[in-house]
Amino acid sequence: MFKKVLISDDYSSINQGVLAVLDQLGITKVKQVQYCDDAYLEIKSAILNEEPYDLFITDLNFKTDHRQQKYTSGEELAAQLRNEYPDFKMIVYSVEDRLQKVRYLINSIKVNAFVCKGRDGLKDLSKAITAVNQDQMFLSGAVQQALNPKNNLEINDYDIELLSLLASGQSKEAISKQFKVHGITPSSLSSIEKKQAKLLLQFRANNATHLISIVKDLGLI
């Protein structure tokens, strides 16, 4: 079992639950941090001191405050750590449950496990730690469909933003104006109409309402 673990989460109450799970697994060398930058420096320092961490457990979302950060999310930090330390074991423990996000974290950043916070979160975290210790991947039941080949639909951040705005009830004209204000391209009304038509075909949806229902069911928005 892992000997030394770092936890990064800005809610101390969450950390207490994670600490209890680690204690039950017999892991006593644990450090907690509340900022991604602190986590990065702690991991680097431990390696330089030849006392590296065996496992990193991190949330994805961190509230911003007065302190300026280089790494503002667990996703950014995990990507950097994976780039520097390809074999470093990482578990994401988050309220996030969008399948597209989970798929990206597993397939692109190659985190070793994704655990959803919630009713069974701590139980799943215990299972995840045990699985990762045995070089196995773990996903909470709520997001296991993320790796289902049938759900491996090509969709990017632009598509997700467009679908989210359509789901909120905004018209294509309003979305076009909003995209122009925020420098999101393509932003013309015709481009948005063409993209929506493509998404309707891609998801085999009968209309916009059906499309939104499908992507919600898939956990994409």
Side-chain angles (χ1 to χ4, degrees):
M1 181 53 71
F2 296 112
K3 300 296 183 183
K4 188 177 180 183
V5 177
L6 179 66
I7 305 168
S8 180
D9 195 305
D10 54 1
Y11 283 96
S12 57
S13 58
I14 297 295
N15 287 344
Q16 292 304 311
V18 177
L19 285 171
V21 169
L22 294 171
D23 184 63
Q24 291 170 5
L25 293 171
I27 303 171
T28 57
K29 290 185 178 180
V30 182
K31 183 163 185 177
Q32 310 168 63
V33 294
Q34 294 183 309
Y35 293 90
C36 291
D37 283 13
D38 289 349
Y40 179 75
L41 293 174
E42 181 65 28
I43 290 167
K44 295 281 285 186
S45 176
I47 291 172
L48 290 173
N49 292 329
E50 298 183 352
E51 295 180 348
Y53 285 94
D54 304 307
L55 175 67
F56 178 45
I57 301 173
T58 184
D59 195 357
L60 289 180
N61 302 311
F62 292 75
K63 285 190 175 181
T64 56
D65 59 17
H66 63 281
R67 181 172 165 181
Q68 188 172 2
Q69 298 287 303
K70 179 178 181 181
Y71 302 106
T72 59
S73 71
E75 180 180 329
E76 291 179 8
L77 177 56
Q80 181 61 34
L81 290 171
R82 180 58 72 229
N83 182 56
E84 295 186 39
Y85 310 111
D87 299 321
F88 189 40
K89 299 292 180 64
M90 294 185 286
I91 294 176
V92 169
Y93 184 44
S94 173
V95 296
E96 178 67 76
D97 61 2
R98 287 179 296 164
L99 300 188
Q100 183 73 8
K101 177 65 70 176
V102 176
R103 185 182 297 118
Y104 172 74
L105 288 162
I106 294 291
N107 292 338
S108 298
I109 298 182
K110 301 192 182 304
V111 299
N112 303 92
F114 190 100
V115 179
C116 296
K117 291 179 180 177
R119 182 175 300 171
D120 297 319
L122 292 176
K123 291 180 181 179
D124 280 354
L125 182 60
S126 181
K127 294 176 183 177
I129 293 169
T130 301
V132 172
N133 182 65
Q134 298 171 351
D135 295 322
Q136 299 172 2
M137 185 179 66
F138 180 90
L139 292 179
S140 287
V143 295
Q144 285 182 353
Q145 286 299 309
L147 301 185
N148 186 332
K150 293 181 179 180
N151 288 334
N152 190 22
L153 298 165
E154 291 296 327
I155 185 169
N156 55 35
D157 290 341
Y158 178 92
D159 299 332
I160 291 173
E161 181 67 18
L162 174 58
L163 289 166
S164 297
L165 291 172
L166 288 171
S168 71
Q170 295 199 40
S171 67
K172 291 187 285 292
E173 291 80 3
I175 294 172
S176 174
K177 292 179 181 178
Q178 185 168 328
F179 279 5
K180 288 175 182 176
V181 169
H182 294 286
I184 300 174
T185 57
S187 59
S188 68
L189 179 59
S190 62
S191 296
I192 290 171
E193 290 174 338
K194 289 177 182 177
K195 172 57 72 172
Q196 179 179 316
K198 182 180 178 181
L199 290 168
L200 285 168
L201 289 172
Q202 183 176 346
F203 287 92
R204 299 178 182 178
N206 300 324
N207 51 46
T209 301
H210 188 206
L211 172 63
I212 297 305
S213 176
I214 291 172
V215 296
K216 281 185 175 181
D217 287 343
L218 289 172
L220 298 177
I221 61 173

